[in-house]
Amino acid sequence: MTDQHEPTTSQPRAPSEREIEAAHAIYTPRNLKLYDFVVHGFSNRFAWRCPTRALDAHYETNLSSNHLEAAVGTGFFLERAKRPGFDRLTLLDINGSCLEEAERRLAGYGPDLLQASLFDPVPVSQPYDSVGLTYVLHCLPGAMTEKLAVIDNLKPAMHGETVLFGATILGQAIKPNLAAKALLSTYNRKGVFHNREDDFASLAQGLRDRFDQVRVWQEGCVALFRAQGLGAGE
Ligand SMILES: C[S@@+](CC[C@H](N)C(=O)[O-])C[C@H]1O[C@@H](n2cnc3c(N)ncnc32)[C@H](O)[C@@H]1O
């Protein structure tokens, strides 16, 4: 699907510490053991109707050997990408348990770890050739315009040709089935998701405001994106 929707507008508002905490508190060591199966095994297929292989393909196409994975979770996609190696791989997450789990799985690549919030400027001095931002925007509190401030915080990690890619579950202009409706309702109530107002057009516009080359497309309830050429509009 192409970006045919009109962006929704909403009043900017800074997320509270409590909202930021709620968005990642669920990722305990115990829950992380179930995460891959629940999210990428079950929900992608039966609720979000975005096959995990579409996300795998996204990684295969866009992953470079100088990569930053922002909000790494368990490291699921990097592990499945089965790259022979990386010149430089950094795993970023606000949640220490996620970093531990992802480091364990990706130990063979000798990744650097960065425990940081995407709501703060990312403390890196050298840019990467690719940055992954998968399944985190829908968790973050705030309207799409506020969430996309995390891309501005990632600027120190990007040069003019860096590819930013990822995916996010939308809450607007989708046709959720019963499973998707139930998950959206539960996760938004618990503060794990904040995506009731997230729409395709606002995401696409926010990316176009920042990058020269933007591609956004939709699979089921999920928007996948690729953006390159940081500096648009500056
Ligand atoms: C739904 S998981 C996605 C994990 C992984 N990218 C994937 O696709 O499987 C969301 C991730 O975002 C992280 N996260 C949530 N809020 C964050 C923030 N403010 N800064 C950095 N990471 C955050 C969580 O700890 C968790 O690892």
Side-chain angles (χ1 to χ4, degrees):
M1 184 187 283
T2 48
D3 49 335
Q4 68 230 20
H5 318 288
E6 286 300 311
T8 54
T9 52
S10 47
Q11 214 43 31
R13 176 185 68 88
S16 68
E17 289 300 319
R18 204 160 60 93
E19 288 173 315
I20 293 173
E21 166 73 20
H24 73 89
I26 194 170
Y27 304 106
T28 60
R30 198 181 66 154
N31 287 346
L32 287 174
K33 291 194 193 328
L34 302 173
Y35 175 87
D36 291 353
F37 172 73
V38 172
V39 176
H40 299 306
F42 178 84
S43 307
N44 281 348
R45 181 170 176 196
F46 296 109
W48 314 131
R49 290 173 292 110
C50 175
T52 298
R53 66 174 180 278
L55 298 167
D56 284 332
H58 204 26
Y59 273 76
E60 270 161 37
T61 308
N62 293 304
L63 201 54
S64 76
S65 63
N66 178 20
H67 180 76
L68 169 68
E69 187 69 8
V72 66
T74 60
F76 180 84
F77 290 111
L78 294 179
E79 188 179 25
R80 280 161 66 97
K82 291 199 178 12
R83 274 186 77 94
F86 289 88
D87 293 337
R88 180 177 171 227
L89 174 65
T90 301
L91 314 176
L92 179 153
D93 209 287
I94 195 172
N95 182 311
S97 301
C98 292
L99 286 176
E100 273 175 33
E101 177 63 17
E103 183 189 30
R104 188 182 66 73
R105 296 211 196 167
L106 302 167
Y109 296 124
D112 296 323
L113 304 184
L114 198 50
Q115 186 164 12
S117 172
L118 288 168
F119 283 109
D120 298 321
V122 174
V124 297
S125 49
Q126 290 295 319
Y128 298 82
D129 297 331
S130 57
V131 174
L133 191 67
T134 299
Y135 275 16
V136 60
L137 290 175
H138 61 248
C139 301
L140 299 179
M144 187 58 85
T145 46
E146 293 148 0
K147 292 165 191 249
L148 291 182
V150 303
I151 295 177
D152 302 324
N153 289 333
L154 283 165
K155 274 185 182 172
M158 294 191 273
H159 54 67
E161 294 307 310
T162 299
V163 173
L164 174 79
F165 69 96
T168 188
I169 299 164
L170 301 174
Q172 288 285 318
I174 52 171
K175 292 182 180 143
N177 61 20
L178 280 180
K181 278 184 191 160
L183 290 182
L184 285 171
S185 166
T186 305
Y187 291 157
N188 275 281
R189 197 176 59 247
K190 288 182 184 290
V192 178
F193 278 22
H194 283 85
N195 69 341
R196 282 289 187 208
E197 303 304 320
D198 287 5
D199 68 311
F200 186 100
S202 301
L203 171 66
Q205 188 58 52
L207 290 170
R208 275 195 221 105
D209 288 344
R210 294 170 171 84
F211 296 89
D212 293 325
Q213 304 157 45
V214 172
R215 187 171 168 238
V216 190
W217 64 105
Q218 196 167 333
E219 295 257 2
C221 303
V222 177
L224 295 91
F225 55 86
R226 181 192 191 279
Q228 192 174 19
L230 187 68
E234 281 179 1

